[in-house]
Amino acid sequence: MNKHKIIILPANIEILAEENESLKNALTENGVEFEFPCGGIGVCKRCIVRIIKSNGLEVKSLACQLKIDEDLVVEIPNREQKHEILTEGIERQVILDPLVKKVYIDLPPPSLEDNRDDWNRVVGKRGVNANLKLLRELPEKLRKNNFKATLVIASGRVIAVESEDTSEKLLGMAFDIGTTTIVGYLIDLKTGREIARVSSLNPQTKYGADVISRIIYAFQSAEGLEKLHKEVVNELNNIIEKAVNKTGYKPEDVYAITVAGNTTMLHLFLKIQPGYLAQAPYVPVITDPVIVDADDINIKINPAGKVYTFPNVAGFVGGDTVAAALASEMDKANELKLLIDIGTNGEIVLGTKGRLLACSTAAGPAFEGVQISCGMRGASGAIDHVYMGEEYKYTVIGGVLPRGIAGSGLTDAVAELLKTGILDKNGRILKPEEIKSEPGKKYRDRIVRINGILSFVIAQNTATGKPIYISQKDVREFQLAKGAIAAGIEVLLKTYGAKVEDIDEVFLAGAFGNYLNPASACKVGLIPQELEGKMRGIGNAAGAGSKLAMLSEKEYERAIILSQKIHYIELSSHPDFKDIFFSKLGFL
């Protein structure tokens, strides 16, 4: 088969592609970093590149749709952004009792009078199981330092024997694997102190911005699951390497990792086929926690190291939600609490220590900037807040010229357009001549048609030289997203037999919740108006829960019990969901 030479600008990388291969596949297979938020089906229009053909003709094309039939020069747009990844989360103190411990021993050597076997000399009693690898190494390790050694213990079992006093080197790494980002926390398990923190984008995004795209890729492609698994494992290894390098330790000094993530992310991490999550009745392979040897999934820590995953609740309520509920102690609440983590899916938990309900709403990617004309993630250059009072103002992450608008900025903008009368209760952007309110009349000149669609211009002076705006189509996407979350909340309340005013506190987890203006969230109907003064941002609660489990065996066991207490409500089969959802699309 013919191969074609592809030169990638501005990096000036040269790759080879097969005849009729898609440009998307050629880029991903050769490690060229470029995101395909919709998974390559051509919907999001975010993978536009400039193509220079051999005859000098220049065209723009979607990389995911272009089939290669000749040598090409491809110019990828420069999208270097400093992503603001949320790493801070709710903190609470626990008694230090880590998942992995070390005990230094100084034993009397064997003698004719005391000729016990080496293993029973170490553990002090008979009948305690040991793994074969440990037994093969045991005699030399004990005799190397005259029976002075360090035992590594997990779940009450000796998992390794080290021939020196290594008791001061005991690290753990707590991870939150998000659909978009990954955060790792390096913890000294002797003191309980966090000593390093590293975050990155999830490299799986090149195969799709949302979990459904990745599930389909893993299920339909023979190599899909392997690729997605390797992407996340390699990135965890990179994060571990960076974290230990910051502190002077080595990866071998890490003996355990905890992993929180949604059900899909945990399946992909463990290389378990997630394909049936996308098909009714949306069944995962496993919801129980999984404890495996790090070597089994190629995690580069101590050879004896263990990996502990969080339990899932259901197909679309995963270990990250359990970790967030653990961090916020919903299982100890006397008063009714509401936990909301808004992303592509919105996970919602409602309840007290006596009863907990959860659901997942397909909010779509609007809150993360996907399928929004000028949308982007919460990165440097993203407009995160908009104000339309006596003055027109907006703020930008990083304090730089804006490049787009983040989900929190979109929520503010829609709320402000409602308040000024530019947007009606059905979500229609009014034409300039239709605006009757005095506040709205001040901003009539910002209402224009862009690509034939009525739009409101948010910013003119931008990093790209093009206006940042919200179109009528964007408002409709927003209505679908906020309607799904609002409907999920109402269904849980109805199932619980409670009213909005019964809710004592609302926990907003995740990056979107961290930036969200509560007043705007209530104005647009994302969250009930009565809860405006009850909201509390708890940051990366999934990461906080992952750290708690690393620090305390009891907290890990508590997470398992908590997951079993949460009763999952499948919204797609709920008789009232559709009607409630449609009732939430408009604005009050």
Side-chain angles (χ1 to χ4, degrees), residues 110 210 228 302 361 514 526:
D210 58 275
L228 289 166
N302 189 279
T361 64
N514 188 62
L526 175 65

Side-chain angles (χ1 to χ4, degrees), residues 402-468:
R403 304 182 64 88
I405 187 164
S408 59
L410 177 64
T411 306
D412 277 356
V414 172
E416 295 296 302
L417 292 176
L418 283 167
K419 283 195 286 189
T420 54
I422 294 172
L423 195 66
D424 71 16
K425 292 183 179 181
N426 293 318
R428 185 173 71 92
I429 297 176
L430 301 183
K431 297 174 184 176
E433 61 272 19
E434 294 178 309
I435 297 172
K436 305 301 181 187
S437 71
E438 290 305 315
K441 288 178 181 178
K442 290 174 57 177
Y443 302 110
R444 283 186 297 194
D445 59 340
R446 289 179 175 268
I447 303 170
V448 297
R449 287 193 179 275
I450 299 176
N451 299 323
I453 302 174
L454 205 63
S455 306
F456 183 86
V457 175
I458 301 294
Q460 290 277 14
N461 184 23
T462 70
T464 63
K466 298 177 181 178
I468 294 169

Side-chain angles (χ1 to χ4, degrees), residues 52-189:
I52 306 170
K53 299 195 172 188
S54 55
N55 61 6
L57 182 66
E58 295 186 14
V59 295
K60 287 187 176 180
S61 177
L62 294 178
C64 67
Q65 302 299 305
L66 179 69
K67 300 294 183 182
I68 298 168
D69 58 6
E70 61 175 316
D71 292 352
L72 297 173
V73 175
V74 178
E75 184 178 0
I76 293 177
N78 183 4
R79 292 181 181 167
E80 287 189 9
Q81 301 163 2
K82 182 181 178 184
H83 290 268
E84 299 291 325
I85 297 173
L86 183 64
T87 58
E88 294 291 342
I90 186 173
E91 299 285 349
R92 60 182 176 83
Q93 297 296 314
V94 292
I95 296 172
L96 185 61
D97 181 27
L99 290 173
V100 176
K101 307 170 182 68
K102 282 188 175 183
V103 176
Y104 176 68
I105 57 173
D106 186 352
L107 301 173
S111 66
L112 291 175
E113 292 75 24
D114 179 9
N115 59 359
R116 287 175 295 165
D117 61 84
D118 287 347
W119 177 242
N120 283 299
R121 186 175 298 278
V122 167
V123 298
K125 58 183 177 179
R126 300 183 64 85
V128 179
N129 291 332
N131 67 61
L132 184 58
K133 183 175 183 293
L134 188 158
L135 291 175
R136 286 171 175 168
E137 297 173 348
L138 184 62
E140 295 304 320
K141 287 194 173 181
L142 288 177
R143 287 163 179 81
K144 184 177 179 181
N145 198 29
N146 196 29
F147 283 79
K148 295 178 177 66
T150 303
L151 307 183
V152 183
I153 300 169
S155 302
R157 292 184 58 193
V158 177
I159 60 172
V161 176
E162 298 175 343
S163 57
E164 298 174 358
D165 183 358
T166 63
S167 56
E168 293 305 311
K169 291 183 178 179
L170 181 61
L171 305 180
M173 195 91 187
F175 280 100
D176 168 31
I177 302 178
T179 309
T180 305
T181 60
I182 300 174
V183 185
Y185 307 86
L186 184 64
I187 302 169
D188 183 339
L189 298 181

